Amino acid sequence: MDHITFLVAVVIVTALAFDFTNGFHDTANAMATSIATGALKPRTAVLISGVLNVVGAFLSTEVARTISGGIVDDALVSPGMVFAGLVGAILWNLLTWLAGLPSSSSHALFGGLIGAVWVGAGADGVHFDKVLEKVLIPALASPLIAGVAALVATYLAYRLTSRARKATVSTGFRIGQIASASLVSLAHGTNDAQKTMGVITLTLISAGALGHDAGPPVWVVGAAGLAIGLGTYLGGWRIIRTMGKGITEIQSPQGFAAETASTTVILTSAHLGFALSTTQVASGSILGAGLGRRLAEVRWSVAGRMVAGWLITLPAAALVGGLAASIVKHGGNTGAAVIALIALALATGIVALARRNPVHAQNVNDHHEVAVRTPARTAA
């Protein structure tokens, strides 16, 4: 425990705070379609998802190893760099949550870390070949694979049930959605909780508390699982609304197809150690499910906003992480304190803006647009 300095403790707490934001930011990945179709009540959905996120965290550590010893050189990383990277990731998560935009928490984390390590340790600190192999290629391939799989599954679901009573089909697929959405939650915990495990493990390695190439200790696995589970239970209602109602009007066969496709892609990638974005996978599945139903309306403007968000997430988080790392590098603990205060002030402001137009369990299915109201001007 002698290696756990004050800065290391701050980084661990900040990593768990990111994990918490990851949970409520990505609840929609598992439960948006089930809530939209009425298969699960909103509060029941987020409770199931939160519990299964915790369980999923204990199923694998391959993705955690990719982060702790894959995309950056753990021998060149300092706790201050990790802290700076986490700040960039957290702020991007909160900004996109405010806008109801299903961007990638994973890419926010990778971008923040890459930017911080690049500034703090130079280009040699980043393994760009691993970034390409484990992050960028899966980012391009996974939503396409999930989308095609969901499209085919949706088409087959409607073809196979075309002569059955509509009410019976709807009820049957809603029951199936309970199982498929639960599997997505389990897969989400397996994939996304590991990213925080990897960050904390990287911090402990950089501080000398663990050896190089070490895996996450049990207490790290448990803490990361609980943090993401709690965040998931609180429910990222703004993003749930966008994914459940914004991309297309989801019916139960589409929801079942989308969730099944997402689960398959996420669990396969977790087994292979690919740190992909569960948000991109789930969004691709929903889009594919929309295209797979005849006469379904796909809102391409919303899909375009999502894709734009995907493209800028990693570089935007990298920029913030790099700026924060520069301040920490030159200011030491004082610089870290300044960054923490700035981040806290910005996070508080974002939450205050969100309260002007709240989205919650009672109104999550009301309308697909998520906007932030500005105070009305008084008449002169």
Side-chain angles (χ1 to χ4, degrees):
M1 296 299 290
D2 294 340
H3 297 282
I4 309 298
T5 64
F6 176 74
L7 181 57
V8 170
V10 168
V11 174
I12 292 172
V13 171
T14 307
L16 294 175
F18 165 78
D19 206 23
F20 177 83
T21 67
N22 190 353
F24 75 73
H25 194 280
D26 289 3
T27 309
N29 298 346
M31 291 299 173
T33 55
S34 294
I35 291 171
T37 63
L40 287 167
K41 293 184 182 299
R43 282 294 177 191
T44 303
V46 295
L47 176 60
I48 292 172
S49 189
V51 171
L52 290 174
N53 265 244
V54 177
V55 175
F58 287 88
L59 296 184
S60 173
T61 59
E62 290 302 315
V63 175
R65 290 178 180 274
T66 295
I67 294 172
S68 63
I71 64 174
V72 295
D73 188 342
D74 57 26
L76 299 178
V77 173
S78 69
M81 295 177 204
V82 180
F83 172 72
L86 287 167
V87 167
I90 290 172
L91 290 178
W92 185 254
N93 267 359
L94 291 175
L95 281 170
T96 50
W97 163 74
L98 175 66
L101 185 65
S103 69
S104 170
S105 296
S106 304
H107 289 174
L109 176 61
F110 302 147
L113 282 176
I114 290 168
V117 173
W118 198 342
V119 169
D124 290 340
V126 181
H127 296 154
F128 290 102
D129 57 334
K130 290 294 184 182
V131 172
L132 178 64
E133 175 191 353
K134 297 289 189 178
V135 178
L136 297 182
I137 291 177
L140 294 173
S142 59
L144 293 175
I145 294 171
V148 171
L151 186 154
V152 173
T154 299
Y155 175 78
L156 291 175
Y158 280 105
R159 288 282 292 179
L160 294 172
T161 60
S162 59
R163 297 185 179 181
R165 291 179 57 202
K166 186 175 180 180
T168 303
V169 171
S170 179
T171 301
F173 275 109
R174 283 182 181 179
I175 295 171
Q177 274 195 276
I178 297 174
S180 59
S182 297
L183 286 173
V184 177
S185 297
L186 190 70
H188 181 260
T190 302
N191 194 282
D192 278 38
Q194 288 191 62
K195 291 157 190 171
T196 298
M197 297 177 208
V199 169
I200 295 175
T201 302
L202 178 62
T203 303
L204 295 173
I205 291 173
S206 68
L210 291 175
H212 293 295
D213 298 325
V218 174
W219 70 267
V220 172
V221 176
L226 288 172
I228 199 170
L230 180 59
T232 299
Y233 174 69
L234 289 181
W237 303 112
R238 306 174 80 83
I239 299 175
I240 289 174
R241 174 184 283 183
T242 299
M243 290 184 71
K245 293 291 185 180
I247 302 173
T248 186
E249 290 296 329
I250 289 286
Q251 295 182 355
S252 55
Q254 294 168 283
F256 178 79
E259 290 158 1
T260 303
S262 295
T263 300
T264 303
V265 173
I266 293 168
L267 286 179
T268 301
S269 69
H271 176 71
L272 295 174
F274 292 139
L276 55 70
S277 165
T278 55
T279 300
Q280 291 183 1
V281 172
S283 300
S285 295
I286 292 171
L287 182 59
L291 293 171
R293 177 167 69 93
R294 186 182 178 189
L295 302 179
E297 177 191 1
V298 175
R299 300 186 180 96
W300 292 107
S301 60
V302 177
R305 278 200 308 133
M306 288 194 314
V307 173
W310 296 351
L311 293 175
I312 66 174
T313 290
L314 197 148
L319 178 61
V320 177
L323 290 172
S326 179
I327 295 173
V328 173
K329 182 178 180 179
H330 295 97
N333 288 341
T334 301
V338 169
I339 290 298
L341 290 174
I342 293 173
L344 183 60
L346 290 173
T348 302
I350 292 169
V351 172
L353 280 174
R355 288 183 175 178
R356 293 178 179 174
N357 183 33
V359 181
H360 43 72
Q362 286 70 43
N363 69 359
V364 68
N365 280 336
D366 286 355
H367 194 266
H368 76 271
E369 293 293 343
V370 177
V372 180
R373 277 203 307 263
T374 55
R377 295 182 180 178
T378 56

